[in-house]
Amino acid sequence: VRKRNYFNFSSTESVCEVEALMEKMKQLQECRDEEEASQEEMATRFEREKRESMFVCSSEDEESAPTRDVSRHFEDTSYGYKDFSRHGMHVPTFRVQDYSWEDHGYSLVNRLYPDVGQLLDEKFHIAYNLTYNTMAMHKDVDTSMLRRAIWNYIHCMFGIRYDDYDYGEINQLLDRSFKVYIKTVVCTPEKTTKRMYDSFWRQFEHSEKVHVNLLLVEARMQAELLYALRAITRYMT
């Protein structure tokens, strides 16, 4: 059975996609202003999103993915991405409130390697805050909700939770095809094709899509650093 192709959209569908995304952002902001979910409900939504992210394949369109021999770049030829957890296994939660980049990782990196913490922090902030305040043909748009959803989804994939974030927003703002693209870029970038890049958010400018890709790789890097630096902190104490 041929797999569903998530990357084929008509121009009309693409325009509707932008309008629908902006409408969802507006509705979510209104819901935020009117009522806030309880901590128990937000924890449940995180666990649901974390579990579902394990079942998102990094490439739904394997037939079109080029074969790239990246193993020649590594001494260990078995090197490669492995899922954070096997399907059905419990994924431990890394609570940012217990160990965050801002409160813990930043200072530890500066302690171990002076000035590098500052450079990394600036890099993360630039990538996270990078925006032209546009969404395709729309100008003067506050994209912070969308950028945060993308960043937090990547961290969620690696079991990292922000207690103050409602993970129900992720499923509202990021459709499955976009999640497939995100996981491909973050976990198996060698499988990313130009067609995949061209097919997500078709009406957006290239500069906006480049912003998204920078957001993906920087969120992945910070997630890796959080685990590594927390391990170093535990060893030192």
Side-chain angles (χ1 to χ4, degrees):
V1 179
R2 186 178 178 81
K3 292 185 178 181
R4 176 184 174 185
N5 188 343
Y6 284 99
F7 303 103
N8 285 331
F9 300 99
S10 69
S11 179
T12 302
E13 288 176 325
S14 298
V15 173
C16 293
E17 185 183 30
V18 176
E19 300 296 339
L21 181 56
M22 291 190 65
E23 181 61 28
K24 286 178 182 177
M25 291 170 62
K26 178 182 177 182
Q27 292 174 358
L28 287 171
Q29 186 59 57
E30 292 173 350
C31 290
R32 279 183 182 178
D33 297 338
E34 293 175 2
E35 183 180 358
E36 185 175 327
S38 66
Q39 283 295 316
E40 292 77 13
E41 177 60 24
M42 289 204 290
T44 299
R45 292 174 183 176
F46 167 77
E47 291 297 332
R48 184 185 304 119
E49 190 62 48
K50 181 177 67 173
R51 183 173 61 254
E52 290 178 357
S53 73
M54 297 299 118
F55 293 92
V56 174
C57 297
S58 61
S59 178
E60 290 285 352
D61 193 14
E62 296 175 0
E63 293 181 9
S64 67
T67 54
R68 296 175 180 142
D69 182 16
V70 297
S71 62
R72 65 178 182 274
H73 299 294
F74 310 114
E75 292 183 7
D76 181 3
T77 55
S78 65
Y79 179 84
Y81 174 77
K82 293 183 179 179
D83 278 334
F84 182 78
S85 173
R86 294 181 179 178
H87 300 329
M89 292 179 62
H90 173 68
V91 180
T93 295
F94 184 130
R95 297 178 70 253
V96 170
Q97 277 63 26
D98 296 333
Y99 197 95
S100 69
W101 167 255
E102 292 79 7
D103 297 331
H104 308 91
Y106 170 79
S107 58
L108 178 58
V109 171
N110 267 348
R111 176 182 171 186
L112 299 174
Y113 202 161
D115 298 329
V116 169
Q118 178 65 31
L119 293 173
L120 288 171
D121 191 60
E122 291 176 358
K123 188 161 71 85
F124 292 144
H125 275 87
I126 289 172
Y128 187 90
N129 295 311
L130 206 57
T131 181
Y132 292 128
N133 294 312
T134 61
M135 286 183 64
M137 68 293 295
H138 300 279
K139 301 182 184 300
D140 300 319
V141 180
D142 181 358
T143 62
S144 57
M145 178 183 290
L146 188 55
R147 286 182 280 117
R148 189 179 186 191
I150 294 170
W151 186 280
N152 285 6
Y153 177 64
I154 294 166
H155 281 200
C156 178
M157 285 167 47
F158 292 94
I160 299 173
R161 181 194 172 201
Y162 295 81
D163 287 354
D164 62 345
Y165 183 70
D166 182 355
Y167 286 84
E169 293 186 3
I170 289 177
N171 273 336
Q172 294 293 315
L173 299 175
L174 312 182
D175 61 29
R176 183 169 177 80
S177 64
F178 189 32
K179 287 181 178 180
V180 170
Y181 179 82
I182 290 174
K183 191 164 187 179
T184 303
V185 172
V186 170
C187 302
T188 54
E190 71 278 3
K191 293 183 179 180
T192 308
T193 66
K194 184 177 185 301
R195 189 166 67 84
M196 291 171 64
Y197 168 83
D198 289 338
S199 298
F200 90 92
W201 287 4
R202 292 173 65 103
Q203 295 299 312
F204 283 68
E205 298 290 333
H206 284 298
S207 56
E208 295 173 297
K209 297 172 80 167
V210 168
H211 286 180
V212 169
N213 282 278
L214 290 173
L215 199 63
L216 303 187
V217 295
E218 293 301 333
R220 163 70 190 257
M221 182 177 185
Q222 190 180 94
E224 294 173 327
L225 276 174
L226 283 174
Y227 276 100
L229 294 172
R230 185 181 66 169
I232 293 172
T233 298
R234 288 176 172 175
Y235 175 77
M236 293 173 66
T237 56

